[in-house]
Amino acid sequence: MEFQDYFPIWSKLDQTHKANLSSAVFSKKVEKGTVLYNASMDCTSLFLVKSGQLRAYILSEEGREITLYRLFDRDLCLFSASCLMQSIQFEITIEAEKDTELWVIPVRVYQEIKEKSAPLANYTNEIMATRFTEVMWLIEQIMWKSLDKRLASFLIEESAIEGSSVLKITHEGIANHIGSHREVITRMLKYFQNEKMVSLTRGTVEIIDADKLAALC
Amino acid sequence: MEFQDYFPIWSKLDQTHKANLSSAVFSKKVEKGTVLYNASMDCTSLFLVKSGQLRAYILSEEGREITLYRLFDRDLCLFSASCLMQSIQFEITIEAEKDTELWVIPVRVYQEIKEKSAPLANYTNEIMATRFTEVMWLIEQIMWKSLDKRLASFLIEESAIEGSSVLKITHEGIANHIGSHREVITRMLKYFQNEKMVSLTRGTVEIIDADKLAALC
């Protein structure tokens, strides 16, 4: 499949814009764990996911993490190109959570077209609104939900993404997703285990009562 | 002053679009405390602040609040028109924090122009990126900063907005801004008073050592 098959508003672009995009984009494979973008890197590209999974997160000065959102097949990663808009004044990290194939779109080409093309500018608006919605959901979770509910939500979501009730993830990894500490997660998971909702082994969390876990959320 | 004097990209619009906007917008005055938009209201208008102050916040099911951002002179309030983009799937409340004069822009007129005009679509992108930046700042505050630092930041910001070291605000009001509880705020303010950073009377908080308070942030 070509780039145009992945880009939802392709048919709304001018011939010139199509040609410019086509000649500029290129395909790239990255391994799980690759950091595609962070504050210390140059703002050069947008990424469109062909297959795989990306994670966007923020880091505290002390190195604590919290996941903002994930990107899946056909999702466009906008904030790796924070220079696209002067009003984007925050820094996130984008990491491949699985082996991932991407279309790389040079930011200068995207920006030049966006300046003139209402369809591309409006598409960019929709992408940003989608991410905004995910971040607002996160604020509501952090502010109003207790940690047991957030942990239960995370396990259910993760299980849906992986298509499995056995999750290969460390307690440290979970803490980094939901912005907590390893010790706190371990304590809560042990409570979940006592309540027969999960079963723990080294490096895995198995969901054994999804209904009970869901009822907690 | 006319609408065009408040609208930064006026000169980039087509003559037809200018005419459509001009004939659709109207001016409105609202009193302090007026709720301009919430989840139960129809999505009808965008607001451009002529003078005054708006507050955007979210509410928990239990009625707890947290301020997302404020809007001042010449700021455009986008999220009162959440129907503008289908990807905006969250609900906020917009309230006048002072007596406020607004330009009201009917959402249908704005949307029609935005669909065709790259300058208006890109302007909308910049506005959304600005709000996104404010909300990301808020997440970082909530996640990584302790309450004493957040309270100190709030008092300093509030003092800058009001141009005064004497803030007329209740402990309940402060709790609603920063998403905390009244009792917690009262306890922290008393600690600030013991440390000679603020002086408390009924209904006011006076900053008496701004440097010490700023050092805390």
Side-chain angles (χ1 to χ4, degrees):
Chain A
M1 291 215 293
E2 298 303 307
F3 175 72
Q4 62 198 71
D5 301 315
Y6 288 89
F7 203 61
I9 56 146
W10 182 260
S11 65
K12 293 187 187 165
L13 297 177
D14 295 351
Q15 288 307 326
T16 329
H17 294 157
K18 284 180 183 172
N20 290 351
L21 259 182
S22 280
S23 63
V25 298
F26 58 94
S27 186
K28 189 177 177 177
K29 285 185 189 185
V30 293
E31 282 183 8
K32 178 178 170 174
T34 308
V35 173
L36 284 158
Y37 181 73
N38 68 24
S40 67
M41 293 184 188
D42 286 339
C43 164
T44 58
S45 326
L46 293 87
F47 305 113
L48 179 59
V49 180
K50 288 165 88 166
S51 64
Q53 189 172 315
L54 304 181
R55 180 168 82 101
Y57 61 94
I58 49 172
L59 269 172
S60 73
E61 283 166 20
E62 294 82 29
R64 283 175 64 200
E65 300 178 3
I66 185 166
T67 300
L68 296 172
Y69 50 82
R70 264 91 166 256
L71 299 170
F72 303 98
D73 297 6
R74 293 170 186 271
D75 280 341
L76 180 69
C77 180
L78 203 60
F79 294 129
S80 61
S82 57
C83 56
L84 199 60
M85 281 167 251
Q86 62 185 23
S87 309
I88 300 178
Q89 297 290 338
F90 56 89
E91 288 296 354
I92 65 175
T93 304
I94 313 283
E95 193 180 297
E97 218 172 14
K98 296 185 177 170
D99 291 348
T100 300
E101 255 194 283
L102 306 156
W103 290 108
V104 180
I105 313 171
V107 65
R108 208 174 292 180
V109 175
Y110 190 95
Q111 190 157 27
E112 271 176 23
I113 302 175
K114 187 172 82 67
E115 287 304 315
K116 288 172 195 145
S117 160
L120 189 61
N122 280 306
Y123 172 64
T124 309
N125 265 317
E126 286 290 344
I127 301 285
M128 192 146 46
T130 304
R131 304 294 168 257
F132 208 119
T133 299
E134 290 175 293
V135 163
M136 288 300 297
W137 180 86
L138 179 64
I139 291 188
E140 289 177 0
Q141 292 283 313
I142 299 169
M143 289 304 300
W144 323 128
K145 300 254 172 175
S146 53
L147 190 77
D148 57 341
K149 292 185 169 67
R150 289 175 57 211
L151 179 56
S153 295
F154 172 77
L155 295 175
I156 289 168
E157 190 197 337
E158 197 65 17
S159 164
I161 291 172
E162 297 299 329
S164 164
S165 61
V166 181
L167 308 175
K168 287 182 188 157
I169 190 164
T170 62
H171 300 186
E172 178 82 35
I174 297 173
N176 285 343
H177 274 291
I178 66 178
S180 182
H181 294 280
R182 186 185 55 74
E183 298 76 7
V184 179
I185 297 300
T186 298
R187 205 182 317 131
M188 193 68 83
L189 283 172
K190 282 185 179 157
Y191 165 75
F192 283 6
Q193 182 166 251
N194 289 339
E195 295 289 314
K196 308 268 186 290
M197 293 188 277
V198 304
S199 163
L200 305 175
T201 59
R202 179 167 288 276
T204 74
V205 178
E206 183 178 0
I207 298 176
I208 53 178
D209 191 341
D211 291 345
K212 199 168 171 188
L213 209 55
L216 198 63
C217 305
Chain B
M1 292 214 294
E2 297 303 306
F3 175 73
Q4 61 198 71
D5 301 316
Y6 287 89
F7 203 62
I9 55 145
W10 183 260
S11 64
K12 294 187 186 163
L13 297 177
D14 295 350
Q15 288 307 325
T16 329
H17 295 156
K18 284 180 184 173
N20 291 351
L21 259 182
S22 281
S23 62
V25 299
F26 58 94
S27 187
K28 188 177 177 177
K29 284 184 188 187
V30 293
E31 282 184 6
K32 178 179 170 172
T34 308
V35 173
L36 284 159
Y37 180 73
N38 68 25
S40 67
M41 293 184 188
D42 287 339
C43 165
T44 58
S45 325
L46 293 88
F47 304 114
L48 178 59
V49 180
K50 288 165 88 166
S51 65
Q53 189 172 315
L54 304 182
R55 178 168 83 101
Y57 60 95
I58 50 172
L59 267 173
S60 74
E61 284 166 20
E62 294 81 30
R64 284 175 64 200
E65 300 179 2
I66 185 165
T67 300
L68 297 173
Y69 50 82
R70 265 91 165 257
L71 299 169
F72 302 97
D73 297 6
R74 292 171 185 270
D75 280 340
L76 181 70
C77 180
L78 203 60
F79 293 129
S80 61
S82 57
C83 55
L84 198 60
M85 283 167 250
Q86 62 185 24
S87 309
I88 300 178
Q89 298 289 340
F90 55 90
E91 288 296 353
I92 65 176
T93 304
I94 313 283
E95 193 179 297
E97 218 171 15
K98 296 185 177 170
D99 291 349
T100 300
E101 255 195 282
L102 307 155
W103 290 107
V104 180
I105 313 171
V107 65
R108 208 174 292 181
V109 175
Y110 191 94
Q111 189 157 28
E112 272 175 23
I113 302 174
K114 187 172 83 67
E115 287 303 315
K116 288 171 197 146
S117 160
L120 189 61
N122 280 305
Y123 173 65
T124 309
N125 265 318
E126 286 290 344
I127 301 285
M128 191 145 48
T130 304
R131 303 295 167 256
F132 208 119
T133 299
E134 289 174 294
V135 163
M136 288 300 297
W137 180 87
L138 179 64
I139 290 189
E140 289 177 1
Q141 292 284 310
I142 299 169
M143 289 304 299
W144 324 128
K145 300 253 173 176
S146 52
L147 190 78
D148 58 340
K149 292 184 168 70
R150 289 175 57 211
L151 179 56
S153 294
F154 173 77
L155 294 175
I156 289 168
E157 189 197 338
E158 197 65 17
S159 163
I161 291 172
E162 296 299 328
S164 163
S165 62
V166 182
L167 308 175
K168 286 181 188 156
I169 189 163
T170 63
H171 300 186
E172 178 82 34
I174 296 173
N176 284 344
H177 274 290
I178 66 178
S180 182
H181 295 279
R182 186 184 54 74
E183 298 76 8
V184 179
I185 297 300
T186 298
R187 204 181 317 131
M188 193 68 83
L189 282 172
K190 281 185 179 156
Y191 165 75
F192 283 6
Q193 182 166 251
N194 288 339
E195 296 289 313
K196 308 267 185 290
M197 294 188 277
V198 304
S199 162
L200 305 174
T201 60
R202 180 168 287 276
T204 73
V205 178
E206 182 179 0
I207 298 175
I208 53 178
D209 191 340
D211 291 344
K212 200 168 170 187
L213 208 55
L216 199 62
C217 307

